[in-house]
Amino acid sequence: MASKPIVSEEYQYGFNDGDVGVLKFNRGLRRETVEEISKIKKEPKWMLDFRLHALDVFMKKPMPQWGGNLNTLNFNDIIYYVKPSENQGRTWEDVPQAIKDTFERLGIPEAERKFLAGVSAQYESEVVYHSIREDLKEKGIIFTDTDSALREYPEIFREYFGTVIPPEDNKFAALNSAVWSGGSFVYIPKGVKADIPLQAYFRINSENMGQFERTLIIAEDESFGHYVEGCTAPIYSSESLHSAVVEIIVKNGARMRYTTVQNWAPNVYNLVTKRAVAYKDATMEWVDGNIGSKLTMKYPSVYMVGEGAKGMVLSIAVAGKGQHQDTGAKMIHAAPHTTSTIVSKSISQHGGKTTYRGLVHFAPDAAESKANVKCDTLIMDDDSNSDTIPYSEVSNANVEMEHEATVTKVSEESLFYLTSRGLTEEEATRMIVMGFIEPFTRELPMEFAVEMNRLIKFEMEGAIG
Amino acid sequence: MADIVSIASDDTLKELIQQRFQHEPAWMRERRLTAAEAYFALDWPKLSRTPLKKRKLDQIPVFNAPPGSNHAAPVFRATDGEVKIHLVNNQVVALSVPSALTDRGLVLKPLAESLGEAPVQEHLGRIIPDSDDKVTALTAALWQNGVYLHVPAGLRETVQVSIESEASQQLPALLTRNLIVCERGTHVIITERLRSEDGADKMLLSEHTEIVVGAGAKVQYGAIQQCSSRVEGFIHRAGQIAQDGTLEWNIGEFGAGLVVSDHVSHLNEPGALTKSVTVFFGSGQQHQDYTAKSYHHAPHTTSDMVARGVMKDRSRSVFTGLTQIEKGAKGTDGRQREQTLMLSDEARADAIPSLLIDERDVYAAHAASAGPVDRAALFYLTSRGLTEEEAERMIVHGFLAPVIDSIPVQELRSEVWDAVERKIRE
C-alpha cells in the first residue's frame, strides 16, 4: 500500500516576511484592547458598544467541550491586532514591497489579471489591497473591506451586521465580534448578476497573530454572486488563531456561492462561524475545502427561512500529520418546500484525523422539504482515523431526509485493476484519490480546480510546488 | 402498601441495604453498599436530547419498593419441555426447566438465589458498570431480582428460554438484573417480555441485562417491551462476544411514557459477529431514547445494526447508533441503517448514526432516512377502495415487514405484529 502523503507535510506557503507591521498590539485581550481597536478605526459608538458587549459574552462563555482539542489554545498569548501598512492600496504599486512580494509569491495579482472581477487582500488585521472591475462597480455592486463599509455604507451595514450570527451564538463568534478587523463586504443589488468571481485572500504573517476578519454579504432579490477566498500563513513553533465570522443574506430568488480553499499552516487554529440565511426561492451554496491548519472547527450553515429556499454544502477535508479537521455542515429547514444537499469528502493520512459533524433540522413548518447528505471518508494509513457524527432532527411528517456515509480504505481491487493496466501503485492511488474528490474539484472555478489538482498531484509525489 | 421509606443520605440507604439484604453473601452486599454511595454522589443520566428534569424522577418513592422475595413464592418445576421463568414484581411466580436439561448442567434461576454460583461472581456487573449515573447506581444498590441463565458447553441442541417480567399496579420501582452466560458452542434463543399494569402513579423501571457469549456460541436475544404509560424506563442490555460467537438482538419497543433503552455489543475476539434489529413505535406523548452500539475491539469482527421506527401523535424519538472500530481491528465491517416513518406533524424523530473509526482496513457505513407515508401509494390504495386508515395501516405494515419478519422466533414475531396493530389503532 502506497503511503506517500496526499498533502505534503512540507507546507508550501510557510515562509514569513519578518516584521512588517506599522502597529502591533501587545499580547492578550482586555477591555482596553477592544477600545483601542475601535478607536484606531474611528468607529461609531454603536460599534464600540457592540464590541464591548461581545467581549462580555466571550468572557462568560465556557470553552466548547466537544470537537477538537482546544486545551493548548491560550487567549493571552495571542496578538489581537496588527496593522501592516498605513494605507490601503488601490493599485499594486501602492502596496508595501514586502507584502507585495508575499502576494506575488502566492500568485494573487496573476490570478486577478486572469479571471477575477475583484480582489481583496488582507494581511494580518487589515485589508492592504483592494480592487474591483469598473463594469461591476457601475452595476452597483459594492465590494470593499468591512471597515470601509462601516464608514461608507453605514445604513446597509447596520441593518444586517450581526443579524445572522449574533455574538451570543458561540464563544468564537463572540471573540470575533469583539475584536474583528478586516474581511469583505459585498452588496449585490437587485437583479444584478456578477458572473465572474470576487476574490479575497487572507494571509497571517506574524507569530501568534490572531486574525479575526468579518465578512458580510448581501445578495438582493434575483441577484447572483460568487465569492472566493483563500488563506495561508507562515509556520512558527507556536500557534496562531484564525477566527472569522461570515454572514450572508440571500434574498428572494437570489443565488450566492461562497468558495473557500483553506490552506493554513499546520500551527493555525481555524475556528470559523459561517452562516447564510436564504429567503424565498433563494439558493446558497458553500464550497468548502479544508486542507491546512492544526485544528479546523467549521460547519457552514444555511437557514432556509423562505419557501422554496435551497442550501448546498460541498466540502473536502484533508488531515495530515498532527492535524484535525472537525468540519461539516448545518441545514436548517424552517420553511416549506426547502431542499438541501450536503456532500462531504474526507481524507485522513499520516496520523491525521477527520471528523464530519453535521446537522439536518426540519422545523414543524418545513412541509414538503427534502435533505440529502452523503459523507465519504478515505483512511490512507494505519495511523489515521475518522469520525462521522451526523445529527438529524425531524419535526414534520411531510419531509424526506436521506443520509449515507461510508468509511473505507483505497480499495485493493481498484488498485489491482489499475496496476495491472501498467500504472505504478503510486499513480494508481493518486488516480483513485483524484476520483474520490472529483465532485468537489468539479465545482471550483476552472483555474482553482487546475491549481487544486496540481497541489494534490505534487504533494502526493512529496514534491514542493 | 407499606409506609413510604424516606432516604436522605447514604447512611440510611446503607442501613436499608444491610437490613433488606442481610441474607446475601458479603461480596454482594459490599457491592450494593458501594453503589449506595455512588447513588448520592451521581447525577441523573445526562441525555442531550432527553431532558429528565421535568420528569421529576426524584419524586418516585423508589425506596418503598419491596425486594424480590426469594423463598415465599411458589416455584413450579415442570417437565413439559418449556424453559420458562415468570416474575411479577420481581417475585418468581413460575419457573419451569425440563429435568433433561438441568441434568446436563443448564441453570435457570432467579438471580437473587444464584449469588453462590461462580459465574455470577465472575460476570455480574462486568459488562454494565454498577454506577454510571443515579439510575444504574440505584439499580446496583437495590436490585430486587432477575434471571440467571447458564447454558454450559456441550449442550448441543438449541435451547429456547422465555423470560416474563411484570409489574403490578402499585409498585413504585422495578429494579432488575439479568445475567446470561452461554458457553462455548451453545445455541440459545431467549425471549423477554416486559409488561406493567396501568396505574395512577409513576413507576421507575430499571433493568440491566448482561450476556456472555462464549466462543462459537450463538445467542439470539429478543425482547418486547409493552409497559404502561406510567413507566419511566431505563433499560441497559450489553453483551460480550468471544471468538466466532454471534449475538443477535431483536428489540421491539412499544410501551412506557419514557424509555431510555440501549443495547451494546462488545466484539472482543476475531470472528465475533453482532446483528441488531430495533423496531419502535411512538404514540401519544411517548418519549423514546434508543441507542445501539457496536464496539469492534478485535480484527475480523462484523456488526450490522438496523432500526425502523414509526412516529405518530406527539411522540418523540431519538435513535443513536454508534459503530466504533479500534485501531488494530483490521478487516472489520460495521454497518448501520436507520429509517423512520413519520405519521404526524407533531411528532419528532432525531437520529444520530455515528461512526468512530481508528483503523484503515475496514468497511464502515451508515444510512439514515426519514419520510412521510408515500402519497402515491396512499392514493393508489384508496383509489382501490380502501379507507385512508386502512391504506395507512397497510403502508406501515409494508414499512415494518422487512425487519419484523427477520425476527427468528415465530411467537415473538407475531407478538410484535400485534403490538404494531394496537399502536396503529390507538
Side-chain angles (χ1 to χ4, degrees), chain A residues 135-147:
Chain A
D135 56 329
L136 294 182
K137 215 162 146 184
E138 276 160 23
K139 284 182 178 171
I141 294 179
I142 302 170
F143 176 43
T144 182
D145 67 278
T146 311
D147 294 284

Side-chain angles (χ1 to χ4, degrees), chain A residues 86-390:
Chain A
E86 287 300 344
N87 298 303
Q88 191 184 100
R90 290 284 162 191
T91 67
W92 268 120
E93 282 64 47
D94 301 339
V95 178
Q97 193 60 42
I99 298 175
K100 197 157 63 184
D101 289 349
T102 298
F103 283 119
E104 273 169 8
R105 279 177 81 174
L106 299 170
I108 303 303
E110 194 192 350
E112 180 187 3
R113 276 193 300 274
K114 271 191 189 156
F115 69 100
L116 295 169
V119 163
S120 169
Q122 178 160 349
Y123 193 88
E124 315 291 32
S125 303
E126 297 289 352
V127 173
V128 292
Y129 171 72
H130 199 87
S131 80
I132 178 170
R133 264 173 40 177
E134 278 304 317
D135 56 329
L136 294 182
K137 215 162 146 184
E138 276 160 23
K139 284 182 178 171
I141 294 179
I142 302 170
F143 176 43
T144 182
D145 67 278
T146 311
D147 294 284
S148 304
L150 171 60
R151 285 190 302 272
E152 293 162 23
Y153 309 98
E155 275 145 39
I156 328 179
F157 189 97
R158 197 167 174 179
E159 186 181 344
Y160 296 105
F161 182 86
T163 57
V164 182
I165 304 170
E168 288 78 8
D169 190 77
N170 67 74
K171 190 168 179 78
F172 292 96
L175 177 63
N176 175 286
S177 301
V179 298
W180 72 268
S181 183
S184 301
F185 176 86
V186 178
Y187 178 85
I188 308 176
K190 188 171 175 178
V192 173
K193 310 252 192 286
D195 35 19
I196 25 183
L198 301 164
Q199 193 191 357
Y201 198 85
F202 296 91
R203 172 79 179 171
I204 293 178
N205 182 56
S206 301
E207 188 164 11
N208 301 133
M209 172 67 200
Q211 192 173 58
F212 304 98
E213 91 268 11
R214 179 107 194 178
T215 290
L216 178 58
I217 298 174
I218 300 135
E220 290 285 1
D221 292 357
E222 308 295 332
S223 67
F224 170 71
H226 185 182
Y227 177 89
V228 182
E229 68 169 18
C231 334
T232 58
I235 299 175
Y236 290 107
S237 56
S238 53
E239 278 86 25
S240 299
L241 169 64
H242 173 252
S243 187
V245 165
V246 176
E247 299 178 285
I248 302 184
I249 293 111
V250 194
K251 296 209 180 159
N252 299 347
R255 177 173 159 224
M256 186 69 213
R257 171 172 281 210
Y258 191 110
T259 300
T260 308
V261 176
Q262 173 270 106
N263 190 14
W264 291 116
N267 55 340
V268 175
Y269 283 96
N270 184 41
L271 310 167
V272 174
T273 311
K274 288 185 167 171
R275 188 176 301 161
V277 177
Y279 290 90
K280 188 170 189 298
D281 297 324
T283 301
M284 176 66 212
E285 300 164 343
W286 296 101
V287 178
D288 201 58
N290 296 292
I291 294 167
S293 87
K294 176 192 176 87
L295 167 65
T296 290
M297 286 172 72
K298 178 167 54 164
Y299 321 95
S301 313
V302 185
Y303 282 62
M304 288 156 274
V305 299
E307 192 165 347
K310 289 187 175 62
M312 181 191 91
V313 171
L314 178 57
S315 68
I316 64 161
V318 182
K321 189 178 172 193
Q323 293 185 318
H324 184 184
Q325 305 284 7
D326 197 302
T327 58
K330 287 196 246 177
M331 291 294 178
I332 312 297
H333 294 261
H337 298 282
T338 51
T339 335
S340 72
T341 310
I342 300 172
V343 175
S344 157
K345 300 272 175 183
S346 309
I347 298 170
S348 53
Q349 54 165 0
H350 280 219
K353 175 167 186 166
T354 54
T355 303
Y356 171 82
R357 197 184 295 277
L359 168 70
V360 175
H361 177 90
F362 291 97
D365 295 343
E368 311 291 336
S369 294
K370 284 181 187 173
N372 196 301
V373 183
K374 184 139 182 50
C375 312
D376 294 311
T377 303
L378 265 185
I379 301 183
M380 300 301 291
D381 56 56
D382 289 342
D383 300 324
S384 307
N385 52 22
S386 146
D387 292 349
T388 308
I389 309 171

Side-chain angles (χ1 to χ4, degrees), chain A residues 384-403:
Chain A
S384 307
N385 52 22
S386 146
D387 292 349
T388 308
I389 309 171
Y391 293 84
S392 77
E393 301 172 345
V394 180
S395 304
N396 185 295
N398 289 310
V399 300
E400 282 173 41
M401 190 280 301
E402 277 174 42
H403 174 102

